[in-house]
Structure formats: structure tokens, C-alpha cells
């Protein structure tokens, strides 16, 4: 019997990319590939790239070059680029980076196994010519659900005519009906992301994402619920809903308030203790959605609001809406319903035409917003965006100075906000237990990777995947230090270690 082909997936970028990687893993394993954790142990290293900003592109290129070096002294025979950067640049990336043996776009995902086998055998699969993926779907959102021939990474649909496999490998999500996803977990974390939708209909002048991710299209609630139930069976305790814009969910399904209906259903899934929603647009926040996010048991009052700036002139140039006072009113409304709510946001400084007065207005907002986490980015031109052609570009030195200035302020403010939580009782999901490093987890106001964490002062008997009620006693920058109160919460049992969780997920 021939040895099974091996593949490793290296994922860069956001949580949406992580979901896409797990879909690719599911497809590959269903076709007989053996998934390995480390690229040096794989016949093929697949690098899921990020193409959002220059720093992310550089990280993606570095990861491809690093994987290519393994061909000289490891098992690796081929390195393949997938993901946003591969989709966005296609042939251009293939020509500029001959170290990559293949550059595959989203349209290749359904046939990923054949593509990798061709490349591994020494064949060539021509990189695609990039196209504006917004043009692949109808202009009318109501007509998009019928466009079944458009590749939607992370949706992982099984064709209506394809029967559900009866003998999928352990740990692989089964097909539960039309449009059911194939997904293979790549780690044993008690938290997992679930795609709510793909693409974006907004036309922010600085953002290229819609051009290579396409127009907005929702997943059906039954698919989201089915995937969440499967994740719960794999030991997942928290799901985070991701897309380019979760506040638009349902508009192409005939119900813009569909998220308000779906969230309680997700929270009721057996085994799921916590549901989190990310990527919310301030201009699309509805009173009903705020009510559901702040009052539904199991749904955390967490608001990942994409403010980007608060000076009206800059926001209009960005083709966005709002201003400092309206944003502060939104935050007041949220906190009037859930004083403990977590809020994070990202901001761009140095946008073309940004004045010192505009920057001072942003600082006024930040000083009054009491945000738990703040990301700050310096503006840079992105290929194909409207802002790249704007007049009034600021010198790089000016952008760098403003970035450093606002970043210092942000660091100080999130530390102050963390200090406000001293004395609070928080519900912590334990995510790592180590004899040397200690026990770490996250409270309801903290999303994975981006918003800090909680260090628990007592480790005895705690396990990854448990929920622990704890009192915040100190801070370490944005991070909290908390003392467990009376041990793990009832019913929050979990495997004793990451290794056991990984085994539980196959």
C-alpha cells in the first residue's frame, strides 16, 4: 500500500483565513491526504496568505520563502500559496515569487487535492489572472443565493446532487445536507470561528477586500447551526462568528434582522457555552441587535466596532459615516444595557488630507470611548483602492509620527480601561495550562488573539476548556490578573489538556 501523501497548512492573517484553512484541510483529508502540523514533515506545504496591508503581505512572502527553504533539507517537495494574497495577485505573485511551486486562487479550492497532486508530480497549474470578484455575483443581494457556481471560501458547500459520505475520517465534519461544510479542525483549542458570510458591499475608499473577496453573501442559518453543533461535538466551548461585515447578515436572505434570530439558537446548542460576534459596522448597528447582544444568555456583550476614525472629514473621505459624538452615543447606549460590555476597534491615522485638527478629534474620541482594545494602523496606499488616487497624501515621516503618537495614547488608554475592571467578577475560559507559564484564559470582553487575556493565580485542578469564575485583582497592561472563586463552574468539564483536546478532535 503506497504511503499517504502528507500536507501541512500554514495560516496567516485573520480568523476568516483560519476557517478557510480548516475547510481546505477537510477537503484534503476526505481525499486521502494525511495532515501534519509542521511543514518540514509534509510533502506539500500550503501557505494560506493574507493580502490586506503591506505588513501582512510581507509576512506572507516570508512564510513562503521559509517553507521553500525546507525543500533543501526536509521532506517538503512543494510549496503552494493560497488565500487572499494568492487570489489578489495571481500570476503577478507567481512571477515575482518563483519559489512558490503553485499559486492557487479561491476557484481552485474545490479541486485542491487534484491541484496539489499535479504540483507534487512536477506538473504546472497556471496561476489565475485576478478579477474583481464583486462582478461574479448579481448586484441585487436577493439574487445571490442562486449563484451556486461561485467559489465562497469557508462556506465549503457540498453540491445538492452529491450524497453525504458515510465513512469520513474521524474529526472531519460530515455533510448534513445541501451546502453543508467539510471542515477539519487543525488544533485542539476550545474556541473556534464560524463563518457567517463572505464578502462586503461597502465601498470604503481605503479597502481592497471586496475586490478579491467579492460581494456580500450570507450562509444559511441551518448551515451555521449545523457547523456549530459539530464543533460542540469536537469539544469547542466558544464560537466566534466572523465575516467581513456581520451586521449585514441576512440582507440577501430577505431578513436584515436574521442575526437577532440566529444568536439565541446558537447559544442554545448543547455544549456551546459562549457565542461571540465580531466585525460589526457602527453605521449598521440596530437597537434590536444591541438588545440581543446585551441580553441573550450565552451571547457575550462584545462589540468589535469598525470605527476607523472619528473626524467627520476623514470619515467622509473614507466613504464612511459617523462622528465622535454619534460614536460616543452608540457606546453609551451599549453600556446602559450592559455596563461590563467589551468594546474594541481599529483606527487608521495619516489618511490623505488628515489635518492636525482631525487627529485631535480622533484623540478626543479615544479619550472618552473607554475601549478595551485598540488597533492603530498608519495609512498606506493599497492597489486598486480609491484612496490610492487621492491628493493630500502625507509624508511617510508624518504618518509614522502620528502612528507612534496615537499608539502610545491607545496603549495608555487600554491599560486604564483594564484597571477599571479590577474588582469585577469575570467568567474565564481556560485556554492554556502550563506548570512554568501558568494558567491563562479569556473573559467575555476579550476575543481570541486581539484583546488581551486573563492570568489566573491558582492552577490546581484547572483544565483547558473549563470556565472559571474569578475576581480581577490586578492588571498587566491590557491583561488582567484574576483569582478563581470556588473552582470551575458547574457543568464546564473538558479534556484535561490540549493534547487530549487534539485527540478528541481526531
Amino acid at each position: 500500500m503506497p504511503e499517504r501523501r502528507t500536507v501541512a497548512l500554514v495560516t496567516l492573517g485573520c480568523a476568516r483565513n483560519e476557517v478557510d484553512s480548516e475547510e481546505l484541510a477537510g477537503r484534503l483529508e476526505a481525499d486521502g491526504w494525511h495532515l501534519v502540523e509542521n511543514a518540514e514533515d509534509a510533502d506539500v506545504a500550503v501557505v494560506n496568505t493574507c493580502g490586506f496591508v503591506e505588513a501582512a503581505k510581507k509576512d506572507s512572502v516570508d512564510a513562503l520563502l521559509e517553507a521553500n527553504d525546507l525543500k533543501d533539507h526536509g521532506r517538503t517537495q512543494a510549496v503552494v500559496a493560497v488565500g487572499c494574497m494568492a487570489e489578489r495577485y495571481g500570476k503577478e505573485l507567481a512571477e515575482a515569487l518563483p519559489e512558490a511551486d503553485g499559486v492557487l486562487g479561491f476557484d481552485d479550492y474545490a479541486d485542491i487535492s487534484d491541484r496539489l497532486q499535479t504540483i507534487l508530480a512536477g506538473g504546472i497549474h497556471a496561476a489565475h489572472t485576478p478579477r474583481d470578484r464583486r462582478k461574479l455575483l448579481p448586484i441585487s443581494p436577493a439574487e445571490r443565493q442562486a449563484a451556486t457556481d461561485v467559489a465562497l471560501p469557508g462556506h465549503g458547500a457540498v453540491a445538492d446532487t452529491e450524497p453525504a459520505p458515510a465513512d469520513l475520517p474521524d474529526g472531519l465534519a460530515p455533510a448534513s445536507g445541501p451546502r453543508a461544510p467539510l471542515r477539519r479542525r487543525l488544533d485542539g483549542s476550545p474556541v473556534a470561528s464560524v463563518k457567517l458570510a463572505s464578502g462586503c458591499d461597502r465601498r470604503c475608499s481605503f479597502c481592497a477586500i471586496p475586490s478579491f473577496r467579492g460581494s456580500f453573501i450570507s450562509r444559511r442559518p441551518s448551515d451555521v447551526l449545523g457547523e456549530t453543533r459539530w464543533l460542540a461535538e469536537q469539544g469547542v466551548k466558544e464560537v466566534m462568528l466572523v465575516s467581513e461585515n456581520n451586521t449585514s447578515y441576512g440582507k440577501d436572505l430577505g431578513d436584515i434582522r436574521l442575526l437577532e434570530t440566529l444568536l439565541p439558537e446558537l447559544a442554545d446548542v448543547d455544549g456551546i457555552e459562549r457565542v461571540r460576534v465580531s466585525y460589526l459596522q457602527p453605521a449598521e448597528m440596530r437597537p434590536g441587535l444591541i438588545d440581543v447582544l446585551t441580553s441573550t444568555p450565552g451571547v457575550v456583550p462584545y462589540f468589535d466596532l469598525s470605527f476607523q476614525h472619528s473626524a467627520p472629514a476623514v470619515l467622509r473621505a473614507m466613504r464612511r459615516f459617523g462622528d465622535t459624538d454619534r460614536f460616543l452615543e452608540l457606546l453609551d447606549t451599549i453600556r446602559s444595557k450592559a455596563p461590563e460590555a467589551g468594546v474594541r476597534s481599529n483606527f487608521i491615522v495619516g489618511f490623505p488630507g488628515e489635518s492636525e485638527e482631525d487627529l485631535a478629534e480622533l484623540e478626543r474620541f479615544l479619550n472618552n470611548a473607554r475601549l478595551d482594545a485598540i488597533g492603530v494602523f498608519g495609512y498606506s496606499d493599497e492597489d486598486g483602492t480609491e484612496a490610492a488616487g487621492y491628493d493630500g497624501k502625507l509624508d511617510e515621516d508624518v504618518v509614522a509620527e502620528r502612528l507612534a503618537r496615537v499608539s502610545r495614547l491607545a496603549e495608555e488608554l487600554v491599560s486604564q480601561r483594564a484597571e477599571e475592571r479590577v474588582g469585577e467578577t469575570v467568567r474565564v475560559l481556560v485556554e492554556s495550562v502550563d506548570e512554568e507559564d501558568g494558567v491563562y484564559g479569556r473573559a467575555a470582553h476579550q476575543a481570541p488573539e486581539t484583546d488581551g487575556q486573563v492570568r489566573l493565580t491558582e492552577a490546581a485542578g484547572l483544565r483547558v476548556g473549563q470556565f472559571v469564575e474569578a475576581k480581577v485583582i490586578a492588571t498587566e497592561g491590557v491583561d488582567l490578573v484574576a483569582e478563581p472563586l470556588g473552582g470551575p463552574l458547574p457543568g464546564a468539564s473538558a479534556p484535561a489538556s490540549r493534547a487530549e483536546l487534539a485527540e478528541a478532535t481526531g
Side-chain angles (χ1 to χ4, degrees):
M1 183 176 179
E3 186 178 3
R4 290 177 72 188
R5 300 156 295 181
T6 57
V7 60
L9 286 123
V10 180
T11 307
L12 294 92
C14 64
R16 300 186 295 272
N17 255 16
E18 294 171 4
V19 176
D20 294 352
S21 286
E22 293 197 347
E23 180 204 323
L24 291 174
R27 291 183 179 278
L28 289 166
E29 184 160 277
D31 201 46
W33 289 76
H34 177 59
L35 296 166
V36 296
E37 182 176 352
N38 299 314
E40 59 264 29
D41 299 324
D43 297 320
V44 184
V46 178
V47 180
N48 192 348
T49 61
C50 179
F52 181 40
V53 294
E54 285 303 318
K57 296 176 202 172
K58 182 181 183 303
D59 288 343
S60 296
V61 171
D62 290 345
L64 288 163
L65 293 175
E66 183 178 341
N68 182 70
D69 290 341
L70 297 174
K71 292 192 288 188
D72 295 331
H73 52 78
R75 173 170 177 160
T76 308
Q77 301 172 49
V79 175
V80 175
V82 299
C84 291
M85 190 175 180
E87 173 64 37
R88 185 176 181 183
Y89 295 105
K91 288 183 177 180
E92 183 181 345
L93 177 62
E95 292 170 358
L97 197 69
E99 291 85 355
D101 300 286
V103 175
L104 306 181
F106 296 152
D107 292 331
D108 292 306
Y109 281 21
D111 300 309
I112 186 68
S113 180
D114 290 342
R115 300 288 187 266
L116 296 190
Q117 185 57 50
T118 296
I119 294 167
L120 190 59
I124 297 175
H125 180 72
H128 70 290
T129 299
R131 51 183 173 167
D132 189 338
R133 296 192 71 86
R134 290 171 292 192
K135 298 178 180 179
L136 302 183
L137 290 168
I139 294 176
S140 169
E143 298 176 5
R144 292 175 189 168
Q145 293 289 327
T148 56
D149 58 338
V150 177
L152 299 170
H155 291 224
V158 175
D160 292 349
T161 57
E162 183 178 337
D167 57 350
L168 290 175
D170 291 341
L172 184 63
S176 59
R179 305 176 64 83
L182 286 172
R183 180 169 179 175
R184 172 65 157 83
R185 296 219 68 205
L186 293 174
D187 62 32
S189 171
V191 60
S193 296
V194 175
K195 267 210 179 169
L196 199 59
S198 289
C200 185
D201 287 342
R202 300 184 71 86
R203 294 296 179 262
C204 300
S205 63
F206 57 85
C207 183
I209 289 177
S211 66
F212 58 85
R213 278 288 184 179
S215 296
F216 184 89
I217 183 166
S218 304
R219 292 182 70 194
R220 295 187 179 277
S222 58
D223 292 347
V224 178
L225 277 164
E227 186 169 343
T228 299
R229 292 188 184 104
W230 176 80
L231 287 167
E233 292 170 0
Q234 305 303 306
V236 169
K237 301 297 180 182
E238 174 183 331
V239 293
M240 182 169 74
L241 302 180
V242 299
S243 76
E244 279 72 24
N245 177 10
N246 282 331
T247 34
S248 283
Y249 181 68
K251 73 174 187 179
D252 52 323
L253 294 171
D255 185 0
I256 191 60
R257 294 175 176 81
L258 193 55
L259 183 56
E260 287 95 305
T261 303
L262 178 60
L263 283 171
E265 295 184 66
L266 291 171
D268 282 342
V269 170
D270 189 28
I272 297 299
E273 301 275 344
R274 199 153 74 183
V275 178
R276 183 183 306 277
V277 184
S278 62
Y279 305 114
L280 300 169
Q281 288 292 338
E284 297 180 29
M285 290 301 296
R286 307 175 290 276
L289 180 56
I290 295 174
D291 287 343
V292 170
L293 287 170
T294 55
S295 65
T296 305
V299 176
V300 294
Y302 174 79
F303 294 82
D304 177 8
L305 294 163
S306 177
F307 289 123
Q308 301 299 345
H309 211 284
S310 74
V314 177
L315 287 168
R316 302 305 173 266
M318 290 178 168
R319 297 202 178 278
R320 296 179 65 83
F321 305 94
D323 56 47
T324 295
D325 293 332
R326 273 188 276 186
F327 290 163
L328 291 176
E329 288 174 5
L330 172 60
L331 295 177
D332 286 344
T333 298
I334 290 169
R335 289 178 175 133
S336 70
K337 298 175 181 294
E340 78 285 5
V343 186
R344 83 166 323 275
S345 191
N346 294 323
F347 300 89
I348 298 172
V349 297
F351 195 79
E354 180 190 62
S355 66
E356 278 290 342
E357 291 76 16
D358 293 328
L359 192 66
E361 183 68 1
L362 173 59
E363 291 173 326
R364 180 171 80 88
F365 171 70
L366 291 174
N367 276 305
N368 287 278
R370 296 172 57 233
L371 302 178
D372 291 276
I374 301 171
V376 187
F377 300 88
Y379 173 82
S380 62
D381 287 338
E382 281 296 314
D383 300 332
T385 62
E386 181 181 356
Y390 280 1
D391 294 328
K393 299 283 178 62
L394 304 183
D395 290 341
E396 289 184 6
D397 290 346
V398 174
V399 175
E401 187 278 327
R402 293 184 178 184
L403 174 61
R405 168 177 157 185
V406 177
S407 295
R408 286 193 299 269
L409 175 62
E411 184 175 356
E412 177 183 343
L413 291 173
V414 296
S415 295
Q416 291 176 5
R417 177 66 182 125
E419 290 171 1
E420 291 178 17
R421 294 191 180 273
V422 172
E424 287 186 4
T425 296
V426 292
R427 190 170 185 254
V428 180
L429 173 59
V430 178
E431 293 187 304
S432 66
V433 177
D434 187 276
E435 290 185 3
E436 294 184 4
D437 295 335
V439 180
Y440 286 88
R442 288 178 299 103
H445 70 280
Q446 298 168 316
E449 307 295 336
T450 58
D451 299 346
Q453 56 189 350
V454 179
R455 178 169 65 83
L456 294 169
T457 58
E458 298 292 338
L462 297 182
R463 304 175 182 176
V464 170
Q466 286 182 322
F467 281 89
V468 179
E469 200 167 15
K471 181 178 180 180
V472 180
I473 59 173
T475 64
E476 296 172 344
V478 70
D479 298 330
L480 305 180
V481 180
E483 182 178 48
L485 301 174
L489 293 179
S493 59
S497 67
R498 284 189 180 275
E500 289 182 5
L501 271 171
E503 183 178 349
T505 59

